């Protein structure tokens, strides 16, 4: 018999632990922008424009829906949505581009296909300014993490996530071996038939149930993980494009470049140049908040 009065409380939230350990938050851009630019724009990450002053316009190319930017408002543009933008010289805004991936290729907001306009608390603009103009410190970093979570919660209040949290947890348990294999052992030579063997399931059955559970194909997840590994190698090493292609087991550098461009709308070389130079494709000017 135990004398521990808390023995019956020895438990933990494995669901939260499991989901949190699989989630990936990536910040691609954080700028104070005064671009004076007009054109069509497409990104592989979600964007948030927080308008400080001035006005401009946004039009969803597919639906034709048009919005006018208003100071004090925020505009969330989901990934892979083609938009037509008009940024006049007087427009100043904070621009964030980010991804919240529950699994490779499964973004938290993947199911959303429209631009969201909402009015955040004025304190959000103050926090953005404080963090943006502050020095790089641990406190500044974690203040941004706190703000990032507030932004995601505000968006979740207004749009449906790609998958319910409980369904996500069940999927992580069901495909634990498969997800671990894709993240740690898969390469460009990996086939979906190979993945089916890892899951101890027939290819046809696995393809069907995986798509039903996550609303994406197994090949999409594999490609997304290979793309993420390629981006990491492009920005954190000085390996040549040819060497990165070899490490990921692509048959040729050309095939790797073609694969990367299909998923990211730019070549590996251009991606590396943009990320290492911390460039936002929209032309920048210095602007006071």
């Amino acid at each position: 018999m135990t004398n521990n009065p808390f023995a019956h409380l020895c438990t933990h939230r494995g669901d939260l632990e499991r989901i949190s350990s699989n989630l990936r938050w990536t910040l691609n851009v954080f700028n104070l922008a005064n671009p004076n630019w007009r054109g069509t724009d497409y990104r592989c990450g979600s964007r948030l424009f927080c308008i400080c002053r001035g006005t401009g316009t946004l039009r969803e190319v597919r639906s034709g829906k048009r919005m006018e930017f208003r100071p004090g408002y925020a505009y969330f543009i989901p990934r892979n949505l083609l938009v037509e933008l008009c940024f006049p010289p007087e427009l100043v805004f904070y621009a964030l581009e980010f991804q919240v991936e529950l699994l490779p290729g499964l973004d938290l907001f993947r199911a959303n296909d429209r631009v969201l306009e909402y009015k955040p608390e004025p304190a959000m603009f103050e926090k953005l300014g404080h963090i943006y103009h502050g020095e790089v410190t641990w406190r500044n970093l974690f203040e941004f993490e706190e703000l990032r979570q507030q932004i995601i919660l505000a968006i979740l209040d207004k749009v449906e996530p790609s998958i319910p949290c409980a369904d996500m947890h069940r999927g992580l348990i069901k495909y634990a071996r498969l997800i671990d294999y894709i993240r740690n052992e898969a390469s460009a030579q990996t086939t979906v038939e190979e993945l089916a063997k890892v899951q101890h399931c027939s290819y046809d059955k696995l393809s069907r149930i995986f798509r039903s559970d996550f609303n994406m194909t197994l090949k999409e997840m594999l490609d997304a993980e290979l793309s993420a590994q390629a981006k990491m190698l492009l920005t954190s090493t000085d390996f040549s494009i040819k060497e990165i292609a070899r490490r990921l087991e692509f048959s040729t550098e050309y095939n790797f470049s073609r694969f990367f461009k299909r998923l990211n709308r730019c070549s590996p070389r251009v991606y590396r140049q943009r990320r290492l130079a911390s460039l936002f494709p929209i032309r920048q000017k210095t602007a006071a908040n």
Side-chain angles (χ1 to χ4, degrees):
M1 177 180 291
T2 178
N3 293 321
N4 181 2
F6 300 105
H8 64 293
L9 297 178
C10 290
T11 183
H12 59 93
R13 288 301 302 267
D15 49 358
L16 297 180
E17 294 166 2
R18 188 172 285 108
I19 292 172
S20 179
S21 65
N22 276 276
L23 187 146
R24 288 177 178 172
W25 154 263
T26 306
L27 178 67
N28 300 326
V29 171
F30 180 21
N31 276 333
L32 179 60
N34 176 212
N36 187 19
W37 183 84
R38 177 194 298 265
T40 302
D41 194 29
Y42 172 100
R43 298 296 176 91
C44 296
S46 298
R47 287 159 286 172
L48 186 72
F49 296 158
C50 302
I51 311 301
C52 300
R53 67 169 184 260
T55 187
T57 59
L58 175 153
R59 188 178 74 88
E60 298 177 14
V61 172
R62 185 172 57 184
S63 69
K65 182 179 179 181
R66 185 178 179 278
M67 291 184 177
E68 184 169 313
F69 294 133
R70 296 187 285 172
Y73 281 76
Y75 298 83
F76 172 69
I77 308 170
R79 62 187 298 186
N80 300 332
L81 185 66
L82 185 64
V83 291
E84 199 174 78
L85 299 166
C86 177
F87 296 147
E90 67 275 9
L91 180 65
V92 177
F93 60 97
Y94 288 105
L96 292 86
E97 182 188 334
F98 59 89
Q99 291 172 256
V100 186
E101 284 197 320
L102 308 174
L103 285 175
L106 181 59
D107 189 87
L108 178 62
F109 303 111
R110 176 186 171 110
N112 190 41
D113 61 355
R114 60 186 177 86
V115 176
L116 168 68
E117 177 192 57
Y118 72 98
K119 190 173 178 61
E121 294 293 326
M124 191 190 82
F125 286 86
E126 295 175 13
K127 290 178 181 178
L128 281 169
H130 170 74
I131 294 167
Y132 183 83
H133 295 289
E135 296 182 4
V136 179
T137 64
W138 286 115
R139 184 173 186 82
N140 210 16
L141 172 68
F142 286 108
E143 284 181 352
F144 178 78
E145 285 295 292
E146 181 182 28
L147 179 61
R148 181 258 298 186
Q149 293 186 23
Q150 292 173 6
I151 289 171
I152 292 173
L153 286 172
I155 296 171
L156 280 173
D157 282 341
K158 297 169 177 63
V159 304
E160 287 294 323
S162 300
I163 182 174
C165 208
D167 291 350
M168 184 67 204
H169 181 237
R170 283 191 289 270
L172 290 173
I173 295 174
K174 184 176 181 179
Y175 301 103
R177 182 195 300 269
L178 180 65
I179 293 168
D180 181 72
Y181 185 88
I182 289 175
R183 281 187 159 159
N184 296 297
E185 299 186 51
S187 73
Q189 297 300 311
T190 301
T191 65
V192 288
E193 289 81 8
E194 180 181 341
L195 297 179
K197 290 180 181 178
V198 172
Q199 189 67 15
H200 302 301
C201 184
S202 71
Y203 162 68
D204 290 339
K205 181 179 179 181
L206 178 60
S207 296
R208 184 176 67 256
I209 62 175
F210 188 89
R211 183 161 195 165
S212 175
D213 288 337
F214 290 125
N215 195 29
M216 71 172 176
T217 67
L218 200 54
K219 185 66 164 58
E220 285 177 319
M221 180 177 170
L222 176 60
D223 286 353
E225 178 59 27
L226 286 174
S227 176
Q229 291 182 25
K231 289 177 181 177
M232 183 275 293
L233 291 170
L234 286 166
T235 55
S236 63
T237 75
D238 59 358
F239 295 149
S240 67
I241 307 298
K242 184 176 182 178
E243 173 63 13
I244 293 173
R246 187 190 69 77
R247 286 174 177 265
L248 296 177
E249 298 187 4
F250 282 88
S251 56
T252 65
E253 180 182 348
Y254 171 77
N255 285 339
F256 166 60
S257 295
R258 187 172 63 174
F259 163 85
F260 190 91
K261 191 169 185 178
R262 175 171 61 83
L263 267 69
N264 299 287
R265 296 294 183 100
C266 67
S267 69
R269 197 173 309 280
V270 169
Y271 180 84
R272 169 176 270 174
Q273 291 170 347
R274 288 179 179 174
R275 296 298 292 141
L276 295 184
S278 298
L279 288 179
F280 187 43
I282 298 171
R283 183 162 53 90
Q284 301 287 313
K285 294 180 181 177
T286 302
N289 186 4

